[in-house]
Amino acid sequence: MADPLIIKICGIKTYDLLDTVIAAGADMVGFMHFQRSPRHVSIEDLGGLISAARGRIESCVVLVNPDNSCVAEVAALGPDWIQLHGPETPHRVEAIRAEAGVEILKALPIGSAEDVAQVGTFAAVADRVLLDAKPPKGADRPGGLGASFDWNLLESLDPALSFMLSGGLTPDNVAEAIGKVKPFGVDVSSGVETAPGVKNSKLIEAFIRNARAAG
C-alpha cells in the first residue's frame, strides 16, 4: 500500500481558516513570514498560530532567503517545518537545517531541464523538496504566483527522487496533476483563494477532497 498523499495548504493567516484546513483533513499548514507577500504573518501572530496547530496538524513556516536571526526567531516558535522559498544554495540549506534543528522543506522553481537537474543536489540536503513554478520575469516575490509549470519537464527526474508538487494547482486540476506527475504530496496557496491572500473554505475543502480521491 502506497503512503497516503500529503496535502499542504499554504498562506493561512487566521485561526478560523486553520480550523477549516484541519477539519478538511490536510496534513500540513503553511504560514508565510515574508513582508512582500499578501499572506504575510508577523512573528507575534506566528507564535499563536503554530501553538494552535500543534498536535493537530504539521505546521510549516515559509521563509525567503532568511538571515540567521530570522531563522533562530522562527525556530524558537517550534514549527514542525521551515520552508525555504528563496535563492538559497544547497550549502545554505544545509547550514539552516543544522542551525534551526527543524525539518527543512526546500522549494525549487522549475522552468527548464537545467532546473530539474538541480533537484537531486537539494534533495540531498533538505528533508523534502517542493517543486514549484518559476515566477514570471520581474515578479517581486518567489513562487508560481498561480501558474503551473510544464509537468513534462519532470520526465527527466530520477524516479527515486520523491517530491511535493506546487504551482498553479487548483481543485480542478489537482487530480490530473497527481495522476500525471505522481508526487508524494501537493501544496496549494492561490489556487484556493478568491483574491490574493483571501482563502475560501469551500475551495480548500474541494481541493483536499479531489486530491484525496486521486491520491
Side-chain angles (χ1 to χ4, degrees):
M1 185 71 188
D3 289 330
L5 184 80
I6 289 170
I7 299 175
K8 174 168 168 276
I9 309 291
C10 202
I12 296 299
K13 295 190 292 191
T14 68
Y15 292 92
D16 284 354
L17 280 169
L18 173 61
D19 290 342
T20 296
V21 166
I22 293 168
D27 304 285
M28 297 176 77
V29 60
F31 306 120
M32 283 289 306
H33 183 58
F34 182 57
Q35 299 262 293
R36 291 210 298 273
S37 170
R39 305 167 189 90
H40 173 67
V41 176
S42 69
I43 278 288
E44 295 70 37
D45 292 341
L46 263 183
L49 286 164
I50 290 169
S51 294
R54 193 168 291 124
R56 302 165 69 207
I57 189 170
E58 289 194 4
S59 60
C60 177
V61 178
V62 181
L63 302 176
V64 179
N65 216 19
D67 60 21
N68 290 350
S69 64
C70 174
V71 170
E73 201 173 23
V74 168
L77 300 174
D80 296 295
W81 293 84
I82 286 177
Q83 177 175 325
L84 297 174
H85 214 113
E88 301 91 2
T89 62
H91 181 73
R92 180 68 182 139
V93 171
E94 206 166 18
I96 290 173
R97 186 180 178 209
E99 183 195 342
V102 174
E103 290 192 283
I104 299 295
L105 175 64
K106 176 66 182 113
L108 298 169
I110 302 294
S112 66
E114 288 75 36
D115 297 330
V116 176
Q118 300 293 317
V119 173
T121 315
F122 283 96
V125 292
D127 297 282
R128 285 180 185 164
V129 290
L130 170 70
L131 306 187
D132 196 2
K134 260 204 169 138
K137 281 200 174 17
D140 66 343
R141 50 186 208 274
L145 309 185
S148 54
F149 62 92
D150 178 3
W151 298 330
N152 294 317
L153 286 168
L154 300 180
E155 286 168 9
S156 63
L157 193 64
D158 177 351
L161 282 176
S162 57
F163 60 91
M164 292 181 70
L165 182 70
S166 183
L169 297 180
T170 66
D172 296 331
N173 70 5
V174 66
E176 182 199 350
I178 291 165
K180 186 172 171 67
V181 180
K182 312 267 189 299
F184 75 81
V186 288
D187 177 33
V188 67
S189 185
S190 59
V192 290
E193 291 179 348
T194 50
V198 184
K199 292 281 185 291
N200 177 284
S201 55
K202 292 278 177 278
L203 289 175
I204 290 171
E205 288 159 0
F207 182 89
I208 294 173
R209 192 168 55 241
N210 295 349
R212 283 274 173 253

